[in-house]
Amino acid sequence: EAGIHPSPRWFLSPNQTIVVPTAYPYGMTSSVTRSMDIIVVGGGISGLSTALKLSRAGHRITVLERDDTPMPESADEAFEWDRRGAPQVRHSHAFLARLVSLLKANEPDVLDKLFEAGATEIKFGEDLPLTMEGFVSEPEDADLNMLTCRRTTFEWVLRRVVLDDGRVTFKTGVGVNGLVHETDAESGLERITGVTTEDGSQLTADLVVVAGGRRSSLPDWLNDIGIGPVQEEVEDTGIIYTSRFYRLNPGQTYPPRTGPIGGDLGYIKYGVFVGDNNTFSITLAAPSDDAELRTKLSDPATFDEAARKLGATAPYLDGRATPLVDEVFVMAGLLNRQRHYVVDGKPLVLGMLPVGDAVLCTNPLYGRGCSIGYWGAHLMAQAINEHSDDLLTLATEYDAALQRDIVPWYLSGVQQDAEARRVSSSLLKGDDPDVDTADPKTFMRSVLREGLLPALRYDPVVLRAFMRNLNLLTSPDAMMNNPEVMNRVFAIWQDRENRPAEIPLGPKRRREFLELLTSAA
């Protein structure tokens, strides 16, 4: 760790700026075509990832973060962080292998700091189902490691590293409410030359990166300067999230992870997520139009009772853990949304790039948000380092990278959510989930439920393909288009009558589940 000094106590007062001079051990300045002054609007995962990558490539970065809160001194203090600009921080998060492998290749010191803070790695091949036979490790399995920690811990470590590097000017309590611009004589497009802040100040830069999250006002800022409206596609995910966090009691350990870690019963989706420092979280997602169920889940005692009725989460609430806070965190308004800042190959403006949820946000149920945010920052850094001397090419090449690598995952999620809404609507009306019809969608759901899910417990080839897909290491349709994998899934589906009964993931019918909660109360 030569050149990295111990983290000091970072306390930021309103509009205070911190620049920490220190030696820098990961130089990459030779890759840039020219060094730029860059403003990053937003200090969450996407903004911090962008700032870290670009500062290490030799660019001069200023991060503007609206939330004015002191920098916590520990991972546990970070869980209490007042991050109003990122309401999702106290919900379950997954840190997928795509993110982990990119960190290992580009910012290994960030991983080291995460491990020091209590994060752990889940390695593929560990905790296999007891029914799995014939598993043989393959070299590519090293790419399938996932990271376990709380979202607040990940963001806290990332900000610490950015501050300790000493290459980023980080300002808290500074909100942005508009863009500074001028007309580019060569292209005729408006060129963004800076931002206006809520106190009326103007800050100028060669490039503005907007990492303001799913609530970003970027379309309004563009509209204010005569650009727009911004084209977008929006699909409601159809769910409301409820999450609760726990810590293992002294002397206790996590239950064996050889079985399912979540389930989808149609009327409810759920999962358990191991965190850092002996913590874990449980998330229960109810359909947004099921007012009765979502009201019950917002009550802490009822939430715990609901988790005890579900197969994968019940072992975690057998007395081995205590809630971190007496609260259920609820998050609504969950959207799949893609905004288009390049249309027909032409950017709306020059000198501005959006990253993370500001350009594309997906259903958090799939656990892709942080990984896609970092991945998007990685693609942006590559484009900037190759095209910093040509803002038009920069905008189009960055957009092309998003369309190629990340947008397919957005489209896949939209399709999955549409099918999930259809099923949950049917169950809410009391329809029998086992009704067999000639509907191809119903048939495919049966194959997934009685073919794919059992295959994940029996067949290492299917499990490996599924995990590579889950971790964003293949294209979204790679597994479904793989004849060997799907032949194995169909073989297990066709043998469904001869297999031992599956361990239930929870009550099959919504009404039964609600009655169990009512009787427990």
Side-chain angles (χ1 to χ4, degrees), residues 34 36-42 46-51 54 59 61-62 176 179-180 189-195 205-213 216-219 221-222 225 230 339-343 345-360 373 375-402:
R34 75 180 178 98
M36 305 178 77
D37 290 309
I38 301 174
I39 291 174
V40 177
V41 181
S46 298
L48 289 168
S49 299
T50 301
L54 293 179
H59 300 286
I61 311 299
T62 299
V176 172
L179 301 169
V180 181
L189 296 171
E190 291 303 302
R191 174 177 173 176
I192 305 305
T193 59
V195 299
D206 299 316
L207 180 70
V208 173
V209 174
V210 179
S216 170
S217 298
L218 178 55
W221 299 343
L222 290 172
I225 63 173
V230 174
R339 287 173 169 163
H340 298 275
Y341 296 99
V342 175
V343 179
K346 182 179 179 180
L348 298 184
V349 294
L350 302 179
M352 186 283 299
L353 299 177
V355 67
D357 286 350
V359 62
L360 185 149
W375 192 5
H378 180 75
L379 296 175
M380 177 186 289
Q382 288 183 320
I384 292 173
N385 290 340
E386 293 173 6
H387 305 290
S388 60
D389 57 348
D390 183 346
L391 294 180
L392 181 60
T393 301
L394 168 58
T396 55
E397 288 298 310
Y398 169 58
D399 183 72
L402 292 179

Side-chain angles (χ1 to χ4, degrees), residues 75-90:
D76 285 339
E77 285 187 18
F79 186 71
E80 304 297 329
W81 214 347
D82 184 7
R83 292 287 285 110
R84 299 178 188 180
Q88 72 273 26
V89 295
R90 273 173 287 277

Side-chain angles (χ1 to χ4, degrees), residues 133-402:
E133 296 181 357
F135 177 85
V136 178
S137 179
E138 297 185 358
E140 65 180 14
D141 293 347
D143 299 331
L144 276 170
N145 296 348
M146 300 173 66
L147 188 73
T148 62
C149 70
R150 290 168 286 185
R151 156 65 190 263
T152 49
T153 300
F154 189 92
E155 184 172 323
W156 174 68
V157 168
L158 199 54
R159 190 187 289 193
R160 276 184 56 201
V161 173
V162 167
L163 292 174
D164 285 355
D165 267 5
R167 298 233 171 176
V168 174
T169 301
F170 200 102
K171 297 184 177 183
T172 63
V174 180
V176 172
N177 62 6
L179 301 169
V180 181
H181 65 103
E182 64 184 21
T183 302
D184 180 68
E186 183 175 349
S187 67
L189 296 171
E190 291 303 302
R191 174 177 173 176
I192 305 305
T193 59
V195 299
T196 59
T197 61
E198 292 177 341
D199 66 0
S201 302
Q202 288 190 356
L203 301 174
T204 60
D206 299 316
L207 180 70
V208 173
V209 174
V210 179
R214 64 181 61 229
R215 295 179 174 180
S216 170
S217 298
L218 178 55
D220 295 330
W221 299 343
L222 290 172
N223 189 65
D224 290 342
I225 63 173
I227 306 297
V230 174
Q231 297 179 19
E232 64 177 33
E233 293 98 41
V234 181
E235 295 282 347
D236 195 320
T237 63
I239 62 171
I240 289 181
Y241 245 39
T242 59
S243 300
R244 202 164 191 217
F245 284 76
Y246 309 81
R247 190 188 301 276
L248 294 172
N249 296 325
Q252 296 293 325
T253 59
Y254 296 114
R257 289 180 286 190
T258 55
I261 59 170
D264 182 355
L265 297 170
Y267 63 85
I268 191 170
K269 300 171 176 59
Y270 71 95
V272 60
F273 299 77
V274 173
D276 56 276
N277 298 296
N278 293 322
T279 64
F280 64 90
S281 61
I282 293 174
T283 288
L284 309 178
S288 53
D289 55 358
D290 191 345
E292 181 180 12
L293 180 55
R294 72 170 189 259
T295 298
K296 288 182 177 295
L297 295 180
S298 64
D299 173 71
T302 307
F303 181 100
D304 285 359
E305 193 57 40
R308 293 188 184 99
K309 305 301 182 189
L310 301 170
T313 51
Y316 286 80
L317 296 186
D318 61 358
R320 72 181 67 214
T322 301
L324 282 180
V325 294
D326 189 22
E327 182 178 357
V328 175
F329 299 104
V330 181
M331 190 170 179
L334 302 174
L335 302 174
N336 293 301
R337 184 183 62 215
Q338 180 184 188
R339 287 173 169 163
H340 298 275
Y341 296 99
V342 175
V343 179
D344 296 329
K346 182 179 179 180
L348 298 184
V349 294
L350 302 179
M352 186 283 299
L353 299 177
V355 67
D357 286 350
V359 62
L360 185 149
C361 56
T362 62
N363 188 341
L365 178 70
Y366 306 123
R368 299 167 182 162
C370 288
S371 300
I372 284 180
Y374 172 91
W375 192 5
H378 180 75
L379 296 175
M380 177 186 289
Q382 288 183 320
I384 292 173
N385 290 340
E386 293 173 6
H387 305 290
S388 60
D389 57 348
D390 183 346
L391 294 180
L392 181 60
T393 301
L394 168 58
T396 55
E397 288 298 310
Y398 169 58
D399 183 72
L402 292 179

